[in-house]
Each structure stands twice: as C-alpha cells, then as structure tokens.
Amino acid sequence: MPEFISKLQHKTYEKGEFSDEKVRTLDETIELVKTFPWDDERTLTDIQLTGPSVTIQDEYVNYLKIGLYFNGKFCLYYLDNDNHLYEYHVIEKVDVLKIVADFFNSEIELKDFEKHIFNIGNQAHFVTNYFEYREKLWRIIMLTGFMLLYGVFFVVADASVFATNTRWYVRLPLVVLSAFYYFILGKIYCNAIINRDNYLQISKGNDVFSFGYNQQEIKTYNKMDISEIVTYEHKGSRNPNFVEAYAINFKDGSSIKFTNMLISSSAFRTKFTDGMDNPVIPFTAAKKGMLSVL
C-alpha cells in the first residue's frame, strides 16, 4: 500500500498555508480526515478552494483536497499534474473516505466530478507556500520608480540651466533642491543595500514567525507578544516615494523594523487578521520625515 503526503488547512490559514504535513498510509490518512474538526470549522467559513481541508498528494503530484460545502456537505477537489481541476460534492463522510481510498488505490473515478473550465492559479491552493520574504530588486525599483523619474527631470533641468549663461542666484535654488533630492534618493538605495539580507518568514494562521537582519541573526517571535505595529509613511500627500517602514513593538519593550521593500503592505497586514480578515493586532499609522524613517 502506498504512502502519500497529507496536510491540514484551517479557516485562519491563507492560500498555500498548511500544517501537520507528512507522509501517511491510507489508514493514517483516513483517521486524519475523521478527526479533523469539520463541524467547528464550518462556522463563519467561506466556501472556496482555500479553507478548512485535508489535502493529499500522490507520487505523481496529483492532489485530492477534501473541503467544506454548503448545507453540511463536503467538497472534493481533484487537481491533476496537468493543472486540470475537478470538483465533486458529497453529503456523507463515508463517501469521502471511499474516494480517499480510491485515490490511494489509483482507482478514483472522475465521471462524477465537474471539470472546471478555467485553470488559472489552481496550484497555489494545493502547493505548500513557506512564506519567506527577502528584498528583491524589482520591488525596490517599483516602490521608487517615480523618484527615479523625478531624478531624470532634475538631471535634465540641471543640464539645461548650466548649458545656458544663467546667473548663479538663478542656478542656486535648483542646485540645492537637486542635491537634496539626490541625497534622499541615494539614502533610500543605500538603505536597500544595507538591508538586502533582511529575512522574514510569516504566515497568517501561524502565531510564530521569524525575522533577522541577516541569516546569522534570525530569531523566532510570537504574535501574542506584540503590543502594536506602527506603520510609517513619509510626509506629504504628493511625495513620489512609496517606501513604508514598519515597527513591530513587543510587550517587553523590544522591537524589530523593516520596510515594504521586504514585504508589501497588503501582504503584511494580512498576516495579522483572523479567518474573517478582521485585524487581531492593533495597527497605528504615523508619519515621519524622509530622513527619519530610513
């Protein structure tokens, strides 16, 4: 009898987040399905591919995912290794267990399953995501793109002014403004270079997360120990810089800081919400000058 990988997903988890993942026999997998808290997880749960479920993967990377459906039913999703998704609804758990056994025995019948027409992004609901974040060049450029364009404008403006016979007191304001702007832009990229080794591993459903300013300083933390999270945005509604800074303050007075060059604002906030996307950790918004944030 083969042994397949199986894993759990609870209603507080996000797409690609699983726990208790390991190789199990058919009997162990059936026991896993039987003991999963289906009734408890039905409360305030959306019916979708990511949700309370047991996912099984065979040796050919085909997946069978047992999830919840309306009116006390179960929904079985079958994803083959060609990314074709099938769906089948059953009422009784005994029918679910039979299909699990058929899956282990390579005897699963898809004639009762409904095949999905669109097959985009299916795998993300089945494949384990470890939610590791590191600074990437494309994110840095995306967040500072408008500043780079402004920088080109100043280069052109400076070249135009110095190419003409313009008096010094006309040049001076542009020179000072340009120098200040280049200094700010340089500080942003220096900060990005210094923090290029920052590492964050965090998911929505797990209270434990890891962070380090480099690979040698990675430490584990618990969301329950957080007192508040402060997000810093730069002053000025028309500021072309989209870099934000986060300070996670802990109850013992310590804190860790990083920017959205490491993880996007939307993804970061998702990590601190419950199954209904309500915040579980207080967020405080603050504004600081460009230089004091970096």
Side-chain angles (χ1 to χ4, degrees), residues 90-289:
V90 298
I91 300 176
E92 301 297 335
K93 191 181 296 183
V94 64
D95 297 322
V96 173
L97 300 179
K98 182 183 181 304
I99 294 175
V100 170
D102 290 342
F103 183 71
F104 266 79
N105 295 317
S106 300
E107 297 175 349
I108 190 167
E109 291 284 348
L110 296 179
K111 59 182 178 60
D112 295 325
F113 284 69
E114 179 183 353
K115 186 176 181 180
H116 285 215
I117 298 176
F118 300 102
N119 294 286
I120 300 175
N122 292 331
Q123 290 186 342
H125 298 277
F126 295 83
V127 178
T128 300
N129 186 337
Y130 296 99
F131 301 100
E132 295 178 308
Y133 300 90
R134 297 177 177 86
E135 288 196 1
K136 293 182 173 59
L137 179 61
W138 68 265
R139 179 177 295 281
I140 296 171
I141 294 176
M142 180 183 70
L143 293 170
T144 59
F146 281 108
M147 290 199 74
L148 290 174
L149 290 176
Y150 274 54
V152 172
F153 165 78
F154 279 116
V155 169
V156 173
D158 289 341
S160 299
V161 169
F162 280 93
T164 60
N165 188 20
T166 308
R167 296 183 179 275
W168 68 269
Y169 53 82
V170 176
R171 298 177 180 178
L172 184 60
L174 181 60
V175 170
V176 172
L177 183 60
S178 299
F180 180 74
Y181 191 86
Y182 297 144
F183 174 71
I184 297 298
L185 192 60
K187 187 170 178 63
I188 289 175
Y189 282 99
C190 285
N191 180 77
I193 293 172
I194 292 172
N195 295 329
R196 69 186 183 278
D197 293 328
N198 282 6
Y199 170 84
L200 177 66
Q201 190 283 319
I202 186 170
S203 61
K204 179 179 178 179
N206 192 346
D207 284 340
V208 177
F209 64 98
S210 302
F211 174 78
Y213 293 103
N214 55 61
Q215 292 294 323
Q216 288 71 43
E217 298 180 355
I218 297 175
K219 297 179 180 179
T220 57
Y221 302 88
N222 196 302
K223 295 177 185 177
M224 303 301 293
D225 297 328
I226 297 175
S227 59
E228 68 170 349
I229 299 174
V230 182
T231 62
Y232 294 101
E233 299 177 0
H234 298 307
K235 294 179 180 178
S237 59
R238 297 184 179 180
N239 198 309
N241 177 36
F242 296 106
V243 178
E244 296 179 1
Y246 311 120
I248 301 180
N249 298 326
F250 296 93
K251 296 174 183 177
D252 64 359
S254 62
S255 66
I256 55 177
K257 298 177 181 179
F258 49 88
T259 71
N260 59 342
M261 292 182 180
L262 181 62
I263 180 174
S264 69
S265 177
S266 58
F268 181 62
R269 288 179 176 272
T270 299
K271 311 301 181 181
F272 303 95
T273 57
D274 59 19
M276 300 303 293
D277 293 329
N278 298 311
V280 294
I281 301 291
F283 274 75
T284 302
K287 286 185 178 291
K288 279 193 173 184

Side-chain angles (χ1 to χ4, degrees), residues 69 73-77 87-91 112-114:
Y69 197 64
K73 296 181 181 180
F74 295 92
C75 185
L76 287 88
Y77 303 98
E87 182 176 333
Y88 180 51
H89 309 140
V90 298
I91 300 176
D112 295 325
F113 284 69
E114 179 183 353

